[in-house]
Amino acid sequence: MGKDLKGRELGTGLAQRKDGRYTARFVTRTGYRKQSYFDTLTQARNRLQDAQYNDKRKSIVAPFDMVAKDIVSSNAELAA
């Protein structure tokens, strides 16, 4: 839990830097840390929630579908 310059808790993934800007960070499903800086706390909260939501919605099935289609089409060409 991060804190602001007055010592108040801001929530998980949020903190205030000494220059007054806010930082929001989280770890993606693949293990990468994403971090951004903002001028206001509301911007940081909104962007953090959006990024976490979009990370959860990403599907790893799509790349496998593309590979499967390539394999099927190459097998069809070989059989013809």
Side-chain angles (χ1 to χ4, degrees):
M1 298 276 266
K3 295 185 178 187
D4 66 359
L5 295 176
K6 295 182 180 180
R8 293 179 291 205
E9 293 288 333
L10 296 177
T12 304
L14 296 169
Q16 190 174 19
R17 302 176 350 157
K18 293 214 183 233
D19 63 359
R21 296 185 75 198
Y22 292 91
T23 180
R25 67 179 172 185
F26 75 104
V27 179
T28 63
R29 292 183 310 149
T30 56
Y32 292 103
R33 182 181 295 160
K34 299 287 185 173
Q35 181 172 355
S36 298
Y37 302 103
F38 304 95
D39 292 326
T40 65
L41 182 58
T42 54
Q43 285 178 342
R45 281 190 178 140
N46 292 337
R47 292 288 296 271
L48 179 63
Q49 287 176 350
D50 290 343
Q52 288 174 334
Y53 176 76
N54 289 333
D55 183 55
K56 287 181 183 177
R57 288 189 58 225
K58 284 185 183 175
S59 175
I60 61 170
V61 176
F64 292 116
D65 287 342
M66 290 174 33
V67 171
K69 288 178 186 176
D70 290 341
I71 291 172
V72 170
S73 64
S74 65
N75 286 341
E77 291 173 1
L78 293 175

